[in-house]
Amino acid sequence: MNNNQVTDQWCQNRAEEQIHQQQLQNVERFNGRMAMLGIVIGIITEGLTGQGIAHQIGLGPLVDGYASCHTQYLPFCF
């Protein structure tokens, strides 16, 4: 390979890397916005229904069991 081919290859690799980084930034921004939206929807639903986010996603019995375990001062918990 001559010097021009090496330079062209480097430029192409660099351009691909920059495109990949930009796509990654866009995906991460989208994920962050969707997470924020999910939390806001969960809080609004909690305000309307009285059920916490853990209950909304089906982890209510686990949270209730943990809370009862610590409130009854049992020597062991599940």
mmCIF file with all atom_site columns, all heavy atoms in Angstrom, residues 22-42:
data_model
loop_
_atom_site.group_PDB
_atom_site.id
_atom_site.type_symbol
_atom_site.label_atom_id
_atom_site.label_alt_id
_atom_site.label_comp_id
_atom_site.label_asym_id
_atom_site.label_entity_id
_atom_site.label_seq_id
_atom_site.pdbx_PDB_ins_code
_atom_site.Cartn_x
_atom_site.Cartn_y
_atom_site.Cartn_z
_atom_site.occupancy
_atom_site.B_iso_or_equiv
_atom_site.pdbx_formal_charge
_atom_site.auth_seq_id
_atom_site.auth_comp_id
_atom_site.auth_asym_id
_atom_site.auth_atom_id
_atom_site.pdbx_PDB_model_num
ATOM 1   N N   . GLN A 1 22 ? -22.132 8.849  16.663 1.00 0.00 ? 22 GLN A N   1
ATOM 2   C CA  . GLN A 1 22 ? -23.331 9.674  16.577 1.00 0.00 ? 22 GLN A CA  1
ATOM 3   C C   . GLN A 1 22 ? -24.590 8.817  16.731 1.00 0.00 ? 22 GLN A C   1
ATOM 4   O O   . GLN A 1 22 ? -25.525 9.206  17.423 1.00 0.00 ? 22 GLN A O   1
ATOM 5   C CB  . GLN A 1 22 ? -23.380 10.427 15.256 1.00 0.00 ? 22 GLN A CB  1
ATOM 6   C CG  . GLN A 1 22 ? -24.630 11.280 15.159 1.00 0.00 ? 22 GLN A CG  1
ATOM 7   C CD  . GLN A 1 22 ? -24.415 12.532 14.351 1.00 0.00 ? 22 GLN A CD  1
ATOM 8   O OE1 . GLN A 1 22 ? -23.337 12.740 13.816 1.00 0.00 ? 22 GLN A OE1 1
ATOM 9   N NE2 . GLN A 1 22 ? -25.418 13.351 14.284 1.00 0.00 ? 22 GLN A NE2 1
ATOM 10  N N   . GLN A 1 23 ? -24.604 7.644  16.097 1.00 0.00 ? 23 GLN A N   1
ATOM 11  C CA  . GLN A 1 23 ? -25.746 6.749  16.248 1.00 0.00 ? 23 GLN A CA  1
ATOM 12  C C   . GLN A 1 23 ? -25.891 6.300  17.694 1.00 0.00 ? 23 GLN A C   1
ATOM 13  O O   . GLN A 1 23 ? -27.000 6.231  18.216 1.00 0.00 ? 23 GLN A O   1
ATOM 14  C CB  . GLN A 1 23 ? -25.596 5.531  15.332 1.00 0.00 ? 23 GLN A CB  1
ATOM 15  C CG  . GLN A 1 23 ? -25.773 5.847  13.866 1.00 0.00 ? 23 GLN A CG  1
ATOM 16  C CD  . GLN A 1 23 ? -25.466 4.645  12.978 1.00 0.00 ? 23 GLN A CD  1
ATOM 17  O OE1 . GLN A 1 23 ? -24.830 3.695  13.398 1.00 0.00 ? 23 GLN A OE1 1
ATOM 18  N NE2 . GLN A 1 23 ? -25.921 4.715  11.733 1.00 0.00 ? 23 GLN A NE2 1
ATOM 19  N N   . LEU A 1 24 ? -24.784 6.010  18.361 1.00 0.00 ? 24 LEU A N   1
ATOM 20  C CA  . LEU A 1 24 ? -24.814 5.605  19.757 1.00 0.00 ? 24 LEU A CA  1
ATOM 21  C C   . LEU A 1 24 ? -25.358 6.726  20.634 1.00 0.00 ? 24 LEU A C   1
ATOM 22  O O   . LEU A 1 24 ? -26.176 6.481  21.533 1.00 0.00 ? 24 LEU A O   1
ATOM 23  C CB  . LEU A 1 24 ? -23.405 5.211  20.215 1.00 0.00 ? 24 LEU A CB  1
ATOM 24  C CG  . LEU A 1 24 ? -23.264 4.681  21.627 1.00 0.00 ? 24 LEU A CG  1
ATOM 25  C CD1 . LEU A 1 24 ? -24.081 3.403  21.802 1.00 0.00 ? 24 LEU A CD1 1
ATOM 26  C CD2 . LEU A 1 24 ? -21.809 4.424  21.945 1.00 0.00 ? 24 LEU A CD2 1
ATOM 27  N N   . GLN A 1 25 ? -24.944 7.946  20.383 1.00 0.00 ? 25 GLN A N   1
ATOM 28  C CA  . GLN A 1 25 ? -25.454 9.090  21.143 1.00 0.00 ? 25 GLN A CA  1
ATOM 29  C C   . GLN A 1 25 ? -26.958 9.251  20.944 1.00 0.00 ? 25 GLN A C   1
ATOM 30  O O   . GLN A 1 25 ? -27.697 9.512  21.905 1.00 0.00 ? 25 GLN A O   1
ATOM 31  C CB  . GLN A 1 25 ? -24.741 10.369 20.734 1.00 0.00 ? 25 GLN A CB  1
ATOM 32  C CG  . GLN A 1 25 ? -23.325 10.454 21.223 1.00 0.00 ? 25 GLN A CG  1
ATOM 33  C CD  . GLN A 1 25 ? -22.606 11.673 20.685 1.00 0.00 ? 25 GLN A CD  1
ATOM 34  O OE1 . GLN A 1 25 ? -23.118 12.407 19.836 1.00 0.00 ? 25 GLN A OE1 1
ATOM 35  N NE2 . GLN A 1 25 ? -21.397 11.908 21.181 1.00 0.00 ? 25 GLN A NE2 1
ATOM 36  N N   . ASN A 1 26 ? -27.423 9.076  19.708 1.00 0.00 ? 26 ASN A N   1
ATOM 37  C CA  . ASN A 1 26 ? -28.860 9.204  19.436 1.00 0.00 ? 26 ASN A CA  1
ATOM 38  C C   . ASN A 1 26 ? -29.657 8.115  20.144 1.00 0.00 ? 26 ASN A C   1
ATOM 39  O O   . ASN A 1 26 ? -30.717 8.391  20.714 1.00 0.00 ? 26 ASN A O   1
ATOM 40  C CB  . ASN A 1 26 ? -29.127 9.151  17.931 1.00 0.00 ? 26 ASN A CB  1
ATOM 41  C CG  . ASN A 1 26 ? -28.625 10.378 17.204 1.00 0.00 ? 26 ASN A CG  1
ATOM 42  O OD1 . ASN A 1 26 ? -28.433 11.432 17.809 1.00 0.00 ? 26 ASN A OD1 1
ATOM 43  N ND2 . ASN A 1 26 ? -28.397 10.247 15.914 1.00 0.00 ? 26 ASN A ND2 1
ATOM 44  N N   . VAL A 1 27 ? -29.146 6.898  20.128 1.00 0.00 ? 27 VAL A N   1
ATOM 45  C CA  . VAL A 1 27 ? -29.838 5.792  20.793 1.00 0.00 ? 27 VAL A CA  1
ATOM 46  C C   . VAL A 1 27 ? -29.874 6.021  22.299 1.00 0.00 ? 27 VAL A C   1
ATOM 47  O O   . VAL A 1 27 ? -30.908 5.805  22.945 1.00 0.00 ? 27 VAL A O   1
ATOM 48  C CB  . VAL A 1 27 ? -29.168 4.447  20.447 1.00 0.00 ? 27 VAL A CB  1
ATOM 49  C CG1 . VAL A 1 27 ? -29.648 3.338  21.338 1.00 0.00 ? 27 VAL A CG1 1
ATOM 50  C CG2 . VAL A 1 27 ? -29.413 4.098  18.990 1.00 0.00 ? 27 VAL A CG2 1
ATOM 51  N N   . GLU A 1 28 ? -28.767 6.450  22.884 1.00 0.00 ? 28 GLU A N   1
ATOM 52  C CA  . GLU A 1 28 ? -28.726 6.695  24.320 1.00 0.00 ? 28 GLU A CA  1
ATOM 53  C C   . GLU A 1 28 ? -29.657 7.844  24.707 1.00 0.00 ? 28 GLU A C   1
ATOM 54  O O   . GLU A 1 28 ? -30.309 7.798  25.748 1.00 0.00 ? 28 GLU A O   1
ATOM 55  C CB  . GLU A 1 28 ? -27.298 6.994  24.771 1.00 0.00 ? 28 GLU A CB  1
ATOM 56  C CG  . GLU A 1 28 ? -26.401 5.791  24.764 1.00 0.00 ? 28 GLU A CG  1
ATOM 57  C CD  . GLU A 1 28 ? -26.850 4.713  25.729 1.00 0.00 ? 28 GLU A CD  1
ATOM 58  O OE1 . GLU A 1 28 ? -27.356 5.030  26.822 1.00 0.00 ? 28 GLU A OE1 1
ATOM 59  O OE2 . GLU A 1 28 ? -26.694 3.528  25.389 1.00 0.00 ? 28 GLU A OE2 1
ATOM 60  N N   . ARG A 1 29 ? -29.728 8.871  23.896 1.00 0.00 ? 29 ARG A N   1
ATOM 61  C CA  . ARG A 1 29 ? -30.645 9.985  24.166 1.00 0.00 ? 29 ARG A CA  1
ATOM 62  C C   . ARG A 1 29 ? -32.094 9.503  24.132 1.00 0.00 ? 29 ARG A C   1
ATOM 63  O O   . ARG A 1 29 ? -32.894 9.838  25.005 1.00 0.00 ? 29 ARG A O   1
ATOM 64  C CB  . ARG A 1 29 ? -30.421 11.106 23.144 1.00 0.00 ? 29 ARG A CB  1
ATOM 65  C CG  . ARG A 1 29 ? -31.226 12.348 23.433 1.00 0.00 ? 29 ARG A CG  1
ATOM 66  C CD  . ARG A 1 29 ? -30.938 13.460 22.423 1.00 0.00 ? 29 ARG A CD  1
ATOM 67  N NE  . ARG A 1 29 ? -29.519 13.816 22.413 1.00 0.00 ? 29 ARG A NE  1
ATOM 68  C CZ  . ARG A 1 29 ? -28.722 13.696 21.360 1.00 0.00 ? 29 ARG A CZ  1
ATOM 69  N NH1 . ARG A 1 29 ? -29.193 13.231 20.222 1.00 0.00 ? 29 ARG A NH1 1
ATOM 70  N NH2 . ARG A 1 29 ? -27.463 14.042 21.423 1.00 0.00 ? 29 ARG A NH2 1
ATOM 71  N N   . PHE A 1 30 ? -32.424 8.665  23.139 1.00 0.00 ? 30 PHE A N   1
ATOM 72  C CA  . PHE A 1 30 ? -33.771 8.117  23.030 1.00 0.00 ? 30 PHE A CA  1
ATOM 73  C C   . PHE A 1 30 ? -34.095 7.246  24.243 1.00 0.00 ? 30 PHE A C   1
ATOM 74  O O   . PHE A 1 30 ? -35.177 7.357  24.831 1.00 0.00 ? 30 PHE A O   1
ATOM 75  C CB  . PHE A 1 30 ? -33.906 7.306  21.737 1.00 0.00 ? 30 PHE A CB  1
ATOM 76  C CG  . PHE A 1 30 ? -35.257 6.682  21.553 1.00 0.00 ? 30 PHE A CG  1
ATOM 77  C CD1 . PHE A 1 30 ? -36.331 7.432  21.126 1.00 0.00 ? 30 PHE A CD1 1
ATOM 78  C CD2 . PHE A 1 30 ? -35.451 5.335  21.818 1.00 0.00 ? 30 PHE A CD2 1
ATOM 79  C CE1 . PHE A 1 30 ? -37.574 6.866  20.954 1.00 0.00 ? 30 PHE A CE1 1
ATOM 80  C CE2 . PHE A 1 30 ? -36.687 4.752  21.650 1.00 0.00 ? 30 PHE A CE2 1
ATOM 81  C CZ  . PHE A 1 30 ? -37.755 5.521  21.224 1.00 0.00 ? 30 PHE A CZ  1
ATOM 82  N N   . ASN A 1 31 ? -33.162 6.378  24.649 1.00 0.00 ? 31 ASN A N   1
ATOM 83  C CA  . ASN A 1 31 ? -33.383 5.526  25.816 1.00 0.00 ? 31 ASN A CA  1
ATOM 84  C C   . ASN A 1 31 ? -33.613 6.356  27.079 1.00 0.00 ? 31 ASN A C   1
ATOM 85  O O   . ASN A 1 31 ? -34.479 6.038  27.893 1.00 0.00 ? 31 ASN A O   1
ATOM 86  C CB  . ASN A 1 31 ? -32.202 4.581  26.033 1.00 0.00 ? 31 ASN A CB  1
ATOM 87  C CG  . ASN A 1 31 ? -32.160 3.455  25.036 1.00 0.00 ? 31 ASN A CG  1
ATOM 88  O OD1 . ASN A 1 31 ? -33.147 3.155  24.393 1.00 0.00 ? 31 ASN A OD1 1
ATOM 89  N ND2 . ASN A 1 31 ? -30.999 2.849  24.897 1.00 0.00 ? 31 ASN A ND2 1
ATOM 90  N N   . GLY A 1 32 ? -32.838 7.398  27.251 1.00 0.00 ? 32 GLY A N   1
ATOM 91  C CA  . GLY A 1 32 ? -33.000 8.274  28.409 1.00 0.00 ? 32 GLY A CA  1
ATOM 92  C C   . GLY A 1 32 ? -34.356 8.953  28.425 1.00 0.00 ? 32 GLY A C   1
ATOM 93  O O   . GLY A 1 32 ? -35.009 9.041  29.467 1.00 0.00 ? 32 GLY A O   1
ATOM 94  N N   . ARG A 1 33 ? -34.788 9.416  27.276 1.00 0.00 ? 33 ARG A N   1
ATOM 95  C CA  . ARG A 1 33 ? -36.098 10.078 27.199 1.00 0.00 ? 33 ARG A CA  1
ATOM 96  C C   . ARG A 1 33 ? -37.226 9.101  27.473 1.00 0.00 ? 33 ARG A C   1
ATOM 97  O O   . ARG A 1 33 ? -38.209 9.434  28.148 1.00 0.00 ? 33 ARG A O   1
ATOM 98  C CB  . ARG A 1 33 ? -36.270 10.725 25.829 1.00 0.00 ? 33 ARG A CB  1
ATOM 99  C CG  . ARG A 1 33 ? -35.393 11.945 25.668 1.00 0.00 ? 33 ARG A CG  1
ATOM 100 C CD  . ARG A 1 33 ? -35.487 12.549 24.288 1.00 0.00 ? 33 ARG A CD  1
ATOM 101 N NE  . ARG A 1 33 ? -34.620 13.728 24.195 1.00 0.00 ? 33 ARG A NE  1
ATOM 102 C CZ  . ARG A 1 33 ? -34.333 14.342 23.080 1.00 0.00 ? 33 ARG A CZ  1
ATOM 103 N NH1 . ARG A 1 33 ? -34.817 13.895 21.937 1.00 0.00 ? 33 ARG A NH1 1
ATOM 104 N NH2 . ARG A 1 33 ? -33.552 15.396 23.086 1.00 0.00 ? 33 ARG A NH2 1
ATOM 105 N N   . MET A 1 34 ? -37.106 7.874  26.968 1.00 0.00 ? 34 MET A N   1
ATOM 106 C CA  . MET A 1 34 ? -38.140 6.870  27.224 1.00 0.00 ? 34 MET A CA  1
ATOM 107 C C   . MET A 1 34 ? -38.167 6.477  28.704 1.00 0.00 ? 34 MET A C   1
ATOM 108 O O   . MET A 1 34 ? -39.239 6.261  29.280 1.00 0.00 ? 34 MET A O   1
ATOM 109 C CB  . MET A 1 34 ? -37.935 5.629  26.357 1.00 0.00 ? 34 MET A CB  1
ATOM 110 C CG  . MET A 1 34 ? -38.199 5.863  24.872 1.00 0.00 ? 34 MET A CG  1
ATOM 111 S SD  . MET A 1 34 ? -39.897 6.377  24.540 1.00 0.00 ? 34 MET A SD  1
ATOM 112 C CE  . MET A 1 34 ? -39.640 8.094  24.100 1.00 0.00 ? 34 MET A CE  1
ATOM 113 N N   . ALA A 1 35 ? -37.008 6.418  29.344 1.00 0.00 ? 35 ALA A N   1
ATOM 114 C CA  . ALA A 1 35 ? -36.953 6.112  30.773 1.00 0.00 ? 35 ALA A CA  1
ATOM 115 C C   . ALA A 1 35 ? -37.621 7.224  31.578 1.00 0.00 ? 35 ALA A C   1
ATOM 116 O O   . ALA A 1 35 ? -38.391 6.948  32.510 1.00 0.00 ? 35 ALA A O   1
ATOM 117 C CB  . ALA A 1 35 ? -35.511 5.925  31.215 1.00 0.00 ? 35 ALA A CB  1
ATOM 118 N N   . MET A 1 36 ? -37.354 8.478  31.219 1.00 0.00 ? 36 MET A N   1
ATOM 119 C CA  . MET A 1 36 ? -37.987 9.595  31.913 1.00 0.00 ? 36 MET A CA  1
ATOM 120 C C   . MET A 1 36 ? -39.499 9.568  31.715 1.00 0.00 ? 36 MET A C   1
ATOM 121 O O   . MET A 1 36 ? -40.262 9.803  32.662 1.00 0.00 ? 36 MET A O   1
ATOM 122 C CB  . MET A 1 36 ? -37.409 10.927 31.427 1.00 0.00 ? 36 MET A CB  1
ATOM 123 C CG  . MET A 1 36 ? -35.997 11.180 31.885 1.00 0.00 ? 36 MET A CG  1
ATOM 124 S SD  . MET A 1 36 ? -35.383 12.807 31.427 1.00 0.00 ? 36 MET A SD  1
ATOM 125 C CE  . MET A 1 36 ? -34.933 12.524 29.723 1.00 0.00 ? 36 MET A CE  1
ATOM 126 N N   . LEU A 1 37 ? -39.930 9.272  30.510 1.00 0.00 ? 37 LEU A N   1
ATOM 127 C CA  . LEU A 1 37 ? -41.358 9.188  30.226 1.00 0.00 ? 37 LEU A CA  1
ATOM 128 C C   . LEU A 1 37 ? -41.999 8.068  31.042 1.00 0.00 ? 37 LEU A C   1
ATOM 129 O O   . LEU A 1 37 ? -43.084 8.239  31.600 1.00 0.00 ? 37 LEU A O   1
ATOM 130 C CB  . LEU A 1 37 ? -41.587 8.962  28.735 1.00 0.00 ? 37 LEU A CB  1
ATOM 131 C CG  . LEU A 1 37 ? -43.031 8.933  28.254 1.00 0.00 ? 37 LEU A CG  1
ATOM 132 C CD1 . LEU A 1 37 ? -43.720 10.263 28.518 1.00 0.00 ? 37 LEU A CD1 1
ATOM 133 C CD2 . LEU A 1 37 ? -43.078 8.599  26.776 1.00 0.00 ? 37 LEU A CD2 1
ATOM 134 N N   . GLY A 1 38 ? -41.332 6.921  31.141 1.00 0.00 ? 38 GLY A N   1
ATOM 135 C CA  . GLY A 1 38 ? -41.860 5.807  31.923 1.00 0.00 ? 38 GLY A CA  1
ATOM 136 C C   . GLY A 1 38 ? -42.002 6.147  33.391 1.00 0.00 ? 38 GLY A C   1
ATOM 137 O O   . GLY A 1 38 ? -43.001 5.789  34.034 1.00 0.00 ? 38 GLY A O   1
ATOM 138 N N   . ILE A 1 39 ? -41.025 6.845  33.938 1.00 0.00 ? 39 ILE A N   1
ATOM 139 C CA  . ILE A 1 39 ? -41.099 7.242  35.344 1.00 0.00 ? 39 ILE A CA  1
ATOM 140 C C   . ILE A 1 39 ? -42.245 8.220  35.562 1.00 0.00 ? 39 ILE A C   1
ATOM 141 O O   . ILE A 1 39 ? -43.019 8.093  36.521 1.00 0.00 ? 39 ILE A O   1
ATOM 142 C CB  . ILE A 1 39 ? -39.760 7.859  35.808 1.00 0.00 ? 39 ILE A CB  1
ATOM 143 C CG1 . ILE A 1 39 ? -38.670 6.806  35.837 1.00 0.00 ? 39 ILE A CG1 1
ATOM 144 C CG2 . ILE A 1 39 ? -39.899 8.526  37.164 1.00 0.00 ? 39 ILE A CG2 1
ATOM 145 C CD1 . ILE A 1 39 ? -38.875 5.703  36.862 1.00 0.00 ? 39 ILE A CD1 1
ATOM 146 N N   . VAL A 1 40 ? -42.397 9.179  34.678 1.00 0.00 ? 40 VAL A N   1
ATOM 147 C CA  . VAL A 1 40 ? -43.489 10.159 34.811 1.00 0.00 ? 40 VAL A CA  1
ATOM 148 C C   . VAL A 1 40 ? -44.841 9.467  34.710 1.00 0.00 ? 40 VAL A C   1
ATOM 149 O O   . VAL A 1 40 ? -45.745 9.733  35.517 1.00 0.00 ? 40 VAL A O   1
ATOM 150 C CB  . VAL A 1 40 ? -43.356 11.280 33.751 1.00 0.00 ? 40 VAL A CB  1
ATOM 151 C CG1 . VAL A 1 40 ? -44.604 12.129 33.676 1.00 0.00 ? 40 VAL A CG1 1
ATOM 152 C CG2 . VAL A 1 40 ? -42.141 12.133 34.055 1.00 0.00 ? 40 VAL A CG2 1
ATOM 153 N N   . ILE A 1 41 ? -44.996 8.551  33.766 1.00 0.00 ? 41 ILE A N   1
ATOM 154 C CA  . ILE A 1 41 ? -46.256 7.814  33.641 1.00 0.00 ? 41 ILE A CA  1
ATOM 155 C C   . ILE A 1 41 ? -46.508 6.980  34.895 1.00 0.00 ? 41 ILE A C   1
ATOM 156 O O   . ILE A 1 41 ? -47.634 6.913  35.394 1.00 0.00 ? 41 ILE A O   1
ATOM 157 C CB  . ILE A 1 41 ? -46.254 6.943  32.372 1.00 0.00 ? 41 ILE A CB  1
ATOM 158 C CG1 . ILE A 1 41 ? -46.338 7.837  31.135 1.00 0.00 ? 41 ILE A CG1 1
ATOM 159 C CG2 . ILE A 1 41 ? -47.397 5.937  32.381 1.00 0.00 ? 41 ILE A CG2 1
ATOM 160 C CD1 . ILE A 1 41 ? -46.128 7.110  29.825 1.00 0.00 ? 41 ILE A CD1 1
ATOM 161 N N   . GLY A 1 42 ? -45.460 6.348  35.428 1.00 0.00 ? 42 GLY A N   1
ATOM 162 C CA  . GLY A 1 42 ? -45.609 5.566  36.654 1.00 0.00 ? 42 GLY A CA  1
ATOM 163 C C   . GLY A 1 42 ? -46.030 6.420  37.832 1.00 0.00 ? 42 GLY A C   1
ATOM 164 O O   . GLY A 1 42 ? -46.882 6.015  38.632 1.00 0.00 ? 42 GLY A O   1
#
